[in-house]
Amino acid sequence: MLEASRPGWRLDETGWKMTVTFASVGIPSAAEIPPEVDVDTILAHLAMDHVYVPKGDDPSDLESVVADTRDQGISLSVVVVPGNPSPDSSLRDLATEVGKAEHGTVLVLSDDWAGTYSETFSRYRLEKAEDIAKNRHGGHSVEATRAFVQSLEANPIISWTVFTYVLLAGLLVVTGGLYLVKRRRADAAATHVAGDPIR
């Protein structure tokens, strides 16, 4: 144990300085939407055909993909932004902001990155589909959207709900089997003890 009264043991005598920092652990940061993006303009375009592309780009192919996807039951809206806004997480923030007004599933594409939001699909499935849509390079938003939708439509290899039920059922069978074995051994031991003559 350190003695504060001993010379040389006090921090102010050793020359050491302690800096106290206040970390923001557990405090979510504010949403960062790319500065050159106007959410109101995007929402106005999405209200018409669920597609927003930068001025001068032809949205017709993308509108066709989105319309087909919506016909298949996925309420998809796609936003394309120019370049690669920094940080890339701003695309997810933009997708979340748009999703609060549009609802359904929102895909935001930049030249190389993607951000998503959905009320329907899990974050795991969204990020898996997002990874497939990324790195298609500028001008390939139709291809990226198709890849994203195909990944969402693909049945997961493992249904975790079914896996959990099977695991629980197996656990119940094993537990019940062990109980029966233990019960038979106890009955056999009791019968054996009762059948032994006293010497």
Side-chain angles (χ1 to χ4, degrees), residues 54-111:
K55 193 176 269 188
D57 289 0
D58 179 21
S60 57
D61 290 339
L62 195 53
E63 287 171 356
S64 175
V65 172
V66 170
D68 290 344
T69 303
R70 292 180 81 83
D71 288 344
Q72 294 170 13
I74 299 175
S75 299
L76 180 66
S77 298
V78 177
V79 176
V80 179
V81 296
N84 287 316
S86 183
D88 62 343
S89 61
S90 66
L91 297 179
R92 182 193 286 187
D93 293 338
L94 177 59
T96 302
E97 195 69 26
V98 170
K100 288 177 186 175
E102 272 294 298
H103 305 290
T105 301
V106 179
L107 170 63
V108 177
L109 296 168
S110 69
D111 288 353

Side-chain angles (χ1 to χ4, degrees), residues 11-197:
L11 286 177
D12 58 344
E13 293 178 355
T14 62
W16 288 88
K17 295 183 180 179
M18 184 174 7
T19 305
V20 178
T21 59
F22 297 98
S24 61
V25 177
I27 300 172
S29 60
E32 290 185 44
I33 295 174
E36 66 279 358
V37 171
D38 180 18
V39 176
D40 293 330
T41 304
I42 290 173
L43 292 174
H45 279 82
L46 292 177
M48 292 185 283
D49 49 27
H50 307 287
V51 171
Y52 171 81
V53 296
K55 193 176 269 188
D57 289 0
D58 179 21
S60 57
D61 290 339
L62 195 53
E63 287 171 356
S64 175
V65 172
V66 170
D68 290 344
T69 303
R70 292 180 81 83
D71 288 344
Q72 294 170 13
I74 299 175
S75 299
L76 180 66
S77 298
V78 177
V79 176
V80 179
V81 296
N84 287 316
S86 183
D88 62 343
S89 61
S90 66
L91 297 179
R92 182 193 286 187
D93 293 338
L94 177 59
T96 302
E97 195 69 26
V98 170
K100 288 177 186 175
E102 272 294 298
H103 305 290
T105 301
V106 179
L107 170 63
V108 177
L109 296 168
S110 69
D111 288 353
D112 296 317
W113 300 326
T116 55
Y117 167 86
S118 183
E119 297 173 336
T120 310
F121 297 99
S122 68
R123 176 52 51 193
Y124 169 78
R125 284 187 70 183
L126 282 177
E127 289 188 2
K128 185 176 175 190
E130 192 178 299
D131 288 343
I132 292 169
K134 286 179 184 177
N135 298 316
R136 302 284 174 157
H137 306 296
H140 297 285
S141 55
V142 174
E143 178 187 329
T145 302
R146 280 194 185 117
F148 176 78
V149 170
Q150 287 171 354
S151 179
L152 285 182
E153 289 176 334
N155 290 329
I157 296 171
I158 297 174
S159 169
W160 292 107
T161 304
V162 172
F163 176 77
T164 303
Y165 285 139
V166 168
L167 187 65
L168 286 174
L171 184 64
L172 287 173
V173 168
V174 169
T175 304
L178 288 174
Y179 174 78
L180 289 175
V181 168
K182 187 176 177 182
R183 176 87 185 223
R184 285 185 183 165
R185 283 186 182 170
D187 289 346
T191 304
H192 181 68
V193 169
D196 282 349

